[in-house]
Amino acid sequence: MLPQSIQPPMVTAKIIFCSQAHTTRTYIKKMAAFHSPSSASSRVVLLLLINFFVAAFADNFYQNCDTVWGDGRAQIHDGGNLLTLSLDKTSGSGFQSKNEYLFGKIDMQLKLVPGNSAGTVTAYYLSSKGETWDEIDFEFLGNVSGQPYILHTNVFCQGKGNREQQFYLWFDPTADFHNYSILWNPQRILFYVDGIPIREFKNLEFLGVPFPNKQKMRLYSTLWNADDWATRGGLVKADWSQAPFKASYRNFNADACVWSSGSSYCRPNKNAWFWEELDFAKKGQMRWVQDNYMVYNYCTDTKRFPEGLPTECAFANIL
């Protein structure tokens, strides 16, 4: 549990509408104006209309994603509200967002492979294309039963990564769904777990540090065999008698600037994330996670960088 002084705020549920939302809200307002506000029956009709439109137009995987790999191992269920990826000895599976984005906040709830997940990797990331691609990574490295997952994060700029930070989680990520968020705006990249920031990568271009701010990126997620490196450096292999391995996804939300016809379109409410930065309380939460659950930080690995740590490591905590 988090210390009482930095407990995460209560999460307020919200309904995310698809592209028909504006038309829907306009129609509901007209219906509300047409009926007398004092009429109980009109309020019932209005409530039914709202519920109908929420059910009809809420974001789902059919509307927002394509299953692109796995020969049927990636499946959408429950009318588009749930997506599962599976992995067996023959193949893994994956999906991608229909849209590409240039800045945004991406939320997804995941429930990871339970039991003996050694050798498996569940990847959830934004990426552009080409030899000088940009990428923002969540990767969940499986482990033998009873041992914790490792959450691996990385940021690639212009085809170069080597910015790994790794964490244990303070809960069992296989027992239930948890929310994992990437916030990417012109000033910073923030990694969140259940609304708690675990990592910040700031835009320090003025110091010569590349930052991903020019290439559109698509959301991808895959479940694949990485037993040559994922668990204890490849010493522990996947136990295929446990296959198929399965990860589950729900509540995908991209509050983002969508790339279309050579430019990006941002929703009017983008200011909620476009200028977001960590306040004192959020910085305290991030420090608590990093002090207690970080298991690797490239910014402290002097053996890896004998000629000096990367520039951003010296300035990230003071700017």
Side-chain angles (χ1 to χ4, degrees):
M1 295 290 291
L2 288 172
Q4 187 64 34
S5 60
I6 56 171
Q7 282 290 323
M10 293 291 290
V11 177
T12 303
K14 64 177 183 177
I15 303 299
I16 307 299
F17 292 94
C18 65
S19 59
Q20 294 96 331
H22 177 73
T23 303
T24 302
R25 286 193 295 267
T26 301
Y27 183 72
I28 290 173
K29 287 178 181 177
K30 288 181 178 179
M31 291 296 295
F34 179 77
H35 291 284
S36 168
S38 62
S39 168
S41 61
S42 68
R43 289 196 294 270
V44 171
V45 171
L46 182 58
L47 181 60
L48 291 173
L49 279 169
I50 292 173
N51 288 336
F52 167 78
F53 282 118
V54 166
F57 298 132
D59 278 356
N60 65 52
F61 289 104
Y62 283 125
Q63 294 171 339
N64 293 288
C65 299
D66 294 313
T67 57
V68 293
W69 172 50
D71 193 24
R73 292 173 177 83
Q75 297 184 349
I76 298 175
H77 313 268
D78 188 24
N81 295 315
L82 178 70
L83 188 150
T84 58
L85 298 181
S86 64
L87 163 69
D88 55 38
K89 199 168 185 178
T90 302
S91 177
S93 53
F95 69 92
Q96 66 183 38
S97 62
K98 293 181 184 291
N99 290 323
E100 295 175 297
Y101 313 104
L102 186 62
F103 304 124
K105 185 176 183 183
I106 310 296
D107 296 290
M108 187 83 77
Q109 290 188 346
L110 282 75
K111 183 162 66 172
L112 300 180
V113 175
N116 185 356
S117 58
T120 71
V121 170
T122 306
Y124 160 56
Y125 61 102
L126 289 167
S127 182
S128 62
K129 297 180 179 179
E131 294 183 359
T132 56
W133 78 99
D134 295 336
E135 186 170 318
I136 305 169
D137 288 342
F138 273 117
E139 290 186 313
F140 302 89
L141 312 185
N143 214 331
V144 295
S145 297
Q147 297 300 312
Y149 266 82
I150 290 178
L151 172 52
H152 176 100
T153 67
N154 203 353
V155 177
F156 286 76
C157 304
Q158 301 172 15
K160 182 181 178 182
N162 299 327
R163 299 180 177 92
E164 301 93 344
Q165 290 184 356
Q166 296 181 336
F167 305 84
Y168 290 140
L169 294 166
W170 50 95
F171 52 84
D172 179 358
T174 73
D176 203 350
F177 286 90
H178 290 269
N179 196 68
Y180 303 91
S181 306
I182 297 170
L183 185 143
W184 169 39
N185 66 29
Q187 297 80 40
R188 58 188 44 82
I189 295 165
L190 293 167
F191 295 79
Y192 286 93
V193 176
D194 286 339
I196 298 171
I198 65 169
R199 178 178 182 178
E200 180 178 26
F201 184 81
K202 295 179 179 179
N203 185 344
L204 300 177
E205 285 186 307
F206 69 96
L207 295 174
V209 179
F211 186 84
N213 56 12
K214 299 177 178 64
Q215 300 188 66
K216 60 186 183 295
M217 292 199 270
R218 193 183 300 275
L219 175 73
Y220 299 89
S221 191
T222 56
L223 173 58
W224 53 290
N225 173 24
D227 68 3
D228 58 337
W229 66 272
T231 307
R232 295 185 59 197
L235 293 177
V236 182
K237 303 297 184 182
D239 179 1
W240 296 111
S241 70
Q242 304 296 313
F245 303 102
K246 183 176 289 187
S248 301
Y249 301 75
R250 70 183 187 188
N251 292 343
F252 168 49
N253 176 37
D255 188 1
C257 299
V258 176
W259 187 268
S260 179
S261 302
S263 61
S264 63
Y265 170 76
C266 304
R267 295 178 182 178
N269 65 343
K270 70 178 176 64
N271 284 343
W273 55 264
F274 198 80
W275 302 107
E276 183 170 334
E277 58 183 322
L278 297 179
D279 59 18
F280 180 79
K282 288 293 185 182
K283 288 180 179 179
Q285 291 179 351
M286 184 171 68
R287 176 54 55 197
W288 181 84
V289 172
Q290 293 181 354
D291 286 348
N292 291 277
Y293 291 97
M294 180 181 281
V295 294
Y296 177 78
N297 182 3
Y298 77 108
C299 279
T300 62
D301 194 342
T302 55
K303 291 183 178 180
R304 183 179 178 187
F305 302 102
E307 296 181 0
L309 295 171
T311 301
E312 66 267 21
C313 297
F315 292 91
N317 293 325
I318 62 175
L319 294 176

